[in-house]
Amino acid sequence: MGFFARDPVRDFPFELIPEPPEGGLPGPWALHRGRKKATGSPVSIFVYDVKPGAEEQTQVAKAAFKRFKTLRHPNILAYIDGLETEKCLHVVTEAVTPLGIYLKARVEAGGLKELEISWGLHQIVKALSFLVNDCSLIHNNVCMAAVFVDRAGEWKLGGLDYMYSAQGNGGGPPRKGIPELEQYDPPELADSSGRVVREKWSADMWRLGCLIWEVFNGPLPRAAALRNPGKIPKTLVPHYCELVGANPKVRPNPARFLQNCQAPGGFMSNRFVETNLFLEEIQIKEPAEKQKFFQELSKSLDAFPEDFCRHKVLPQLLTAFEFGNAGAVVLTPLFKVGKFLSAEEYQQKIIPVVVKMFSSTDRAMRIRLLQQMEQFIQYLDEPTVNTQIFPHVVHGFLDTNPAIREQTVKSMLLLAPKLNEANLNVELMKHFARLQAKDEQGPIRCNTTVCLGKIGSYLSASTRHRVLTSAFSRATKDPFAASRVAGVLGFAATHNLYSMNDCAQKILPVLCGLTVDPEKSVRDQAFKAIRSFLSKLESVSEDPTQLEEVEKDVHAASSPGMGGAAASWAGWAVTGVSSLTSKLIRSHPTTAPTETNIPQRPTPEGVPAPAPTPVPATPTTSGHWETQEEDKDTAEDSSAADRWDDEDWGSLEQEAESVLAQQDDWSTGGQVSRASQVSNSDHKSSKSPESDWSSWEAEGSWEQGWQEPSSQEPPPDGTRLASEYNWGGPESSDKGDPFATLFARPSTQPRPDSWGEDNWEGLETDSRQVKAELARKKREERRREMEAKRAERKVAKGPMKLGARKLD
């Protein structure tokens, strides 16, 4: 039975990628790209082939192999694994590129920034300081060929072949025998007399000066070229001259060289070096220091190299969120770095963190996620949105903080295309109905209407038929003027989703009522919308064959392409800031609608001022509905858009006075039952939001949820109308109920904080006056009774003596 010898190279857990070795390495080693067999992760493999007659080089290679194993430092090339056989030596390190090749590639791509070079040199000097000051070792081979760059742009010191001890044990420096490396030796090495006084770091600091010259000026042709600094920055020239001085005694220690370069105004005194130094020590920093660092980090990321952001900043951000409780401050830099990732990397690294963040109860975290949703929404798939994100987002509709409710509404524009049937047409519509009807913030009610108009094309045909007309009709009765404008614009933006019957019988009557609105901006939009709908009806009347074409989208399935007008109508109307939507509108130049200014009424102090909203213009034909609009002041629009990210959402103010959240329609006779009003008010105040809307499905359809009752219940038997009483005047009772005037539409402009068509002031004032009068009379009677009792006690038998027994 025979035995087969095992091949150690074949059993080695790493393998070479079959391609020529990377150049630029004078010496015995050849650098190959490799990978780990089990995972495929990239590595670099330094290979030395043992050749007969080259015993001296073999000993140098074995010494380097030993040094790689024993030396561990963040700025020295990281050793992973190794293989030593009679035929070869393999040293596996982190994946790196020789500095010469890296600089050449960066020059071809546009050049290397001084920020990167400053940090790279900082790392090499720090590695030399570690070797000289902590390990008493002389590197003896500092040059371009001994420096490597990893995927994050970090510079690593390698080339440990000719290292020796500074204390003299182990012999002197090994002989190199390679002219390309000997040209970096300092001039004092040529003096064999030994009379030159030098420090242990003098030779390595000379070679560092040669490295600096080559980084800025290219390969060093001869030692005499060091006298001309060339392209070396002025802030570095004084320190460079110290390195290449003829007197080795004055060459600075690596640690002192770092201090000099990091002094204020020095070459290494910049934000990039400071950021890297903080990241290296982030584990021992105080939480307050980390918070401040992450808050300021976003401002600097644009100037930092892309590879550095992806491979060094991003891991630290993820670690800070997972284990450091950094909270919402990591979101802005996290999404900024995410722009540098591929779609696959984003899915692997960012999305799991985002999903976890949505389950957080931290309000600052939630509102920042909602504000920055446009940066990651394209990477979220539909199952993730519907099962892991939307259930957490909808809690924002019920939040007591108005800013969170408003941002939640705006985020629906981005989430709606990815929501399933149940979440979009049922769950979301219930929350929208409650917000539009009962939210005390006018801007939130307005933006709910705006968002509904923008996502209308995603709704199913049955939901559109039930919801849109009722919702926009309700908005036109809102006491907040901008909400009424949004209702009109909502009708215009979704005009293609209504049948001709709905246009004539449901929409136009509502719009006609707004032609006498107290606010001119509402009247202007109403007139434009009326003309547009009339033009559409007239065109069908002229040519009935157009009916099928005009109503083609009414019963069609939901489709984002159907909302052409919705993509070009008003932005978020009333927050005093611009919106995500305005950014999305600008990203679609094909529609390029022009806009007009909407005059706004003065708003009470403390109420967010309505932002200008673009409006659809009057089309000449139905085909031009989306394209013809009035001009708008572009400066005002851009300033509103730019304020989106600058708004302090924590200071969103409450409205001056709370307004009624739900309004009862006028009956055909113009009267409303007061009993039904009191009942509705009690119902609203006694039930929570969840219970309010859990009964919607049982009550019937969305028509019942949005619309008001069209008829009144008959009064109880025996009840007489007010008009049937003889009130003691000469007028007969056939003149009608005098209380009906309390419910008549006011002839003058209503108060801004009351419903535009209802005036409850008179009845409530009378009721309060009657109650006050009754209370006053009761107090007066009680006072008289008390005075009478006191008078009776005074006229009794006189004052009683101390100790006397009271007689009955």
Side-chain angles (χ1 to χ4, degrees), residues 190-226:
D191 186 359
S192 58
S193 63
R195 290 177 298 180
V196 179
V197 179
R198 57 178 181 264
E199 302 289 350
K200 58 183 179 181
W201 58 77
S202 297
D204 276 348
M205 297 308 285
W206 168 278
R207 296 184 181 97
L208 176 64
C210 297
L211 173 64
I212 292 175
W213 194 96
E214 287 191 316
V215 167
F216 289 100
N217 299 297
L220 180 66
R222 56 190 179 278
L226 296 174

Side-chain angles (χ1 to χ4, degrees), residues 10 51 101 275 293 306 375 423 506 577 589 693 765 791 808:
R10 186 179 61 186
K51 299 176 182 178
I101 298 176
T275 300
F293 171 76
E306 179 179 327
Q375 300 189 34
N423 285 337
K506 295 182 179 180
V577 293
W693 302 100
T765 302
D808 293 335

Side-chain angles (χ1 to χ4, degrees), residues 127-146:
L128 289 176
S129 177
F130 167 73
L131 292 175
V132 172
N133 298 319
D134 298 337
C135 304
S136 294
L137 293 173
I138 306 301
H139 187 276
N140 197 34
N141 190 28
V142 180
C143 62
M144 186 81 76

Side-chain angles (χ1 to χ4, degrees), residues 100-112 215:
I101 298 176
Y102 178 79
L103 292 178
K104 184 178 179 181
R106 291 303 303 268
V107 169
E108 294 175 354
L112 196 66
V215 167

Side-chain angles (χ1 to χ4, degrees), residues 34-57:
R35 56 175 171 257
K36 191 172 183 178
K37 294 179 181 179
T39 62
S41 55
V43 294
S44 289
I45 303 178
F46 292 83
V47 179
Y48 172 76
D49 293 323
V50 178
K51 299 176 182 178
E55 287 78 9
E56 186 177 0
Q57 286 291 346

Side-chain angles (χ1 to χ4, degrees), residues 227-296:
R227 299 174 183 175
N228 180 17
K231 299 179 182 179
I232 297 178
K234 293 181 179 181
T235 55
L236 185 58
V237 168
H239 311 296
Y240 161 78
C241 292
E242 292 181 349
L243 299 179
V244 295
N247 185 359
K249 186 68 176 176
V250 300
R251 295 172 195 157
N253 184 286
R256 187 166 68 85
F257 178 81
L258 278 182
Q259 292 178 356
N260 295 339
C261 291
Q262 288 183 269
F267 179 66
M268 297 181 185
S269 176
N270 55 63
R271 177 63 178 165
F272 188 55
V273 173
E274 293 170 0
T275 300
N276 278 281
L277 292 176
F278 189 95
L279 290 175
E280 287 184 350
E281 302 173 352
I282 194 171
Q283 303 300 333
I284 61 175
K285 296 292 184 181
E286 296 293 330
E289 294 179 296
K290 295 181 184 179
Q291 291 278 331
K292 182 180 179 181
F293 171 76
F294 288 126
Q295 287 174 350
E296 298 175 351

